[in-house]
Amino acid sequence: MDTSSLLRTSGTVLAVAGLLMSGCSSGSSSSSASASPKAAKSGQPQKKTDALQVLQPLPDAVPAGLRAYYEQKLSWRECGVEGFECATLKVPMDYESPGGGEDVKLAVSRKTATGPGKRLGSLLVNPGGPGGSAIGYLQSYAGIGYPEPVRARYDIVAVDPRGVARSEPVTCLSDSQMDAFTQVDQTPDDQKEVDQLVASFKDFATGCQDRSGEVLGHVSTVEAARDMDVLRAVLGDEKLTYVGASYGTFLGATYAGLYPRRAGRLVLDGAMDPSLPALTMNRDQTAGFETAFTAFAEDCVQREDCPLGGGSARDAGRRLQGFFKKLDADPVPTGESRRLGESLATTAVIAAMYDEGAWAELRGALQSAMDGDGAGLLKLADLYYERDADGSYENLMFANPAVNCLDLPAAFGGPDDVLKALPSFRQASPVFGTGLAWAAMNCTYWPVQATGRPNRIQAKGAPPIVVVGTTRDPATPYRWAEALAGQLGSGALLTYEGDGHTAYGRGSECIDSTINTYLLEGKAPKDGKRCR
């Protein structure tokens, strides 16, 4: 992969962002809840941390310097999408000196409760990323596709986090530069290719610094969680009700850790484990994609149209690896100026692992590429990267590392560290391990130093929090959900036994009815409940 590997959420297949990881990995925030960027040295290795700490709550009282933000009034207006309203929320650039710098303007949107029934307040949604547009998710899916009883009783609300989409977006490369970046060889075979990969990461980081300004150092998950508390107050809700998917689970858990007494009904679907360092998270996710590919391959080899032949899933994996190797040496045409090489093809295959509904498309695209036409796989890769038909890119691939590289120290200090880790990544995934290991170097050269580190999140005093895990989730391995539910003092683990990334709204009546009951009645499922 290039900047990271993308975790997708529920909703339309490959249409909504989830969690981008294998680059610098989403993870935990600082236990101090502050984020003051410092200059980072290129190639700085991940330092050994002290004993794992618990994310500590902030004081209940709103500090005097923040009262104006908490007491502001939103001016709602039409925003070009029927049934939705939009507004702008002001938050401080730096919560440690709210009166001493610029404000950040956050884009907010809502779909008001449709009735019947008593309004329950606001339901904030986040699709993950980091870098996925919550407003895009709201207007294209949650505001019209969430279960009708939920939409009847709640105003469905979204805010694009700082640095994302409509909220002062981070920018790093031009469209043509991004095209080139996505095609850099992620499985270098010699020192020259290693140097080229390192140069691409350095150029990306420099571009972010040059194009994004001060906000680049203030897009951490802790700051985004604090923004959510301002929004909660401005919306008039005593407690936050929230559905977060993928990286959105880390954002929601961070909120609960900082404000346990203000946490209401929280659903964390496709959960992350905030206690893990970047290297472990990247390796775990690599294994998750191997699990998902094995499920795809086992299905594929039983079909007549399987481009990977018959036999076992392992045989199919070896054939795919052989095809990637051919593309590395000789990319195939796509009908446009870009040719399909190994990097874009790998991105396409990983993109299809997020939902089994994409498997048929992947089979067809692989067969076409093996026959010399890479257009189908290129389309999947472009969906992953949020590249539009006109060649322009959305902000997702820029905001993702910006958040990740602040939230955790880099997984690697340089190429030598990657080479040492390659055997463990290849063991985690023979198919994807090499590429995902090298991709995990993209925070190594980041221009601002990480402000976060791994922490346990307990959120003592919070009401029951529903943590959802899918047993064969490619991007947030099931054990992460088990770990988060175990850390939270009031966590209730809800398990979906199946494939794909996240579970709510993906066809399981058991999952949907359980979550709906929780959101509407406050009745959490028994810890350990399992659904198919």
Side-chain angles (χ1 to χ4, degrees), residues 411-426:
F412 297 123
D416 288 345
D417 290 344
V418 179
L419 291 171
K420 292 175 184 177
L422 275 176
S424 64
F425 274 77
R426 288 169 176 159

Side-chain angles (χ1 to χ4, degrees), residues 9 14 22 121 170 178 201 206 239 274 336 369 386 420 439 444 474 516:
T9 68
L14 298 179
S22 297
V170 168
M178 191 63 187
F201 286 138
T206 299
K239 294 193 175 185
E336 60 168 270
E386 293 199 353
K420 292 175 184 177
T444 301
N516 293 345

Side-chain angles (χ1 to χ4, degrees), residues 224-301:
R226 298 189 72 170
D227 294 342
M228 289 202 306
D229 194 56
V230 174
L231 178 59
R232 172 205 58 77
V234 171
L235 291 171
D237 295 318
E238 291 186 6
K239 294 193 175 185
L240 180 77
T241 304
Y242 175 83
V243 174
S246 199
Y247 161 80
T249 68
F250 174 50
L251 180 58
T254 299
Y255 180 90
L258 296 176
Y259 307 103
R261 294 180 181 84
R262 297 176 193 165
R265 301 169 188 177
L266 306 185
V267 178
L268 309 180
D269 184 13
M272 293 177 59
D273 178 358
S275 71
L276 299 177
L279 176 58
T280 302
M281 294 191 77
N282 279 278
R283 192 159 43 211
D284 281 359
Q285 192 187 33
T286 298
F289 280 112
E290 186 70 19
T291 297
F293 175 76
T294 298
F296 163 76
E298 288 175 345
D299 175 80
C300 184
V301 297

Side-chain angles (χ1 to χ4, degrees), residues 26-220:
S26 278
S28 297
S29 51
S30 170
S31 60
S32 67
S34 66
S36 299
K38 299 177 181 179
K41 297 179 180 179
S42 295
Q44 183 175 4
Q46 181 168 325
K47 296 179 180 179
K48 293 183 179 179
T49 60
D50 298 332
L52 202 63
Q53 296 187 14
V54 174
L55 183 65
Q56 297 300 314
L58 291 169
D60 289 337
V62 175
L66 296 178
R67 287 175 187 165
Y69 297 99
Y70 274 79
E71 295 171 359
Q72 67 185 289
K73 304 296 182 182
L74 293 181
S75 178
W76 294 101
R77 62 189 182 277
E78 293 183 0
C79 49
V81 181
E82 185 177 357
F84 294 88
E85 297 176 307
C86 292
T88 301
L89 178 75
K90 289 184 179 181
V91 293
M93 178 76 75
D94 185 351
Y95 275 94
E96 298 307 301
S97 56
E102 297 181 7
D103 289 338
V104 177
K105 296 179 180 179
L106 303 181
V108 183
S109 184
R110 73 177 177 185
K111 177 76 174 293
T112 56
T114 59
K118 181 181 178 181
R119 179 182 173 277
L120 295 175
S122 303
L123 171 60
L124 191 65
V125 297
N126 184 281
S133 172
I135 291 178
Y137 176 71
L138 169 73
Q139 295 179 353
S140 67
Y141 176 66
I144 56 177
Y146 266 25
E148 190 279 332
V150 174
R151 290 184 286 116
R153 307 282 302 278
Y154 283 102
D155 294 343
I156 313 297
V157 181
V159 55
D160 280 347
R162 51 175 66 205
V164 174
R166 299 164 176 84
S167 296
E168 303 196 16
V170 168
T171 303
C172 300
L173 301 176
S174 68
D175 293 334
S176 61
Q177 289 172 330
M178 191 63 187
D179 273 348
F181 183 77
T182 63
Q183 297 177 71
V184 174
D185 190 348
Q186 295 279 328
T187 57
D189 300 313
D190 53 36
Q191 188 60 47
K192 179 180 178 181
E193 291 186 347
V194 170
D195 292 342
Q196 290 172 340
L197 182 58
V198 168
S200 73
F201 286 138
K202 289 182 176 179
D203 289 344
F204 189 98
T206 299
C208 294
Q209 184 177 38
D210 292 345
R211 294 168 181 258
S212 299
E214 185 181 0
V215 74
L216 188 66
H218 291 283
V219 293
S220 70

Side-chain angles (χ1 to χ4, degrees), residues 485-500:
Q487 291 172 40
L488 292 169
S490 58
L493 178 63
L494 175 63
T495 298
Y496 173 57
E497 297 179 358
D499 298 294

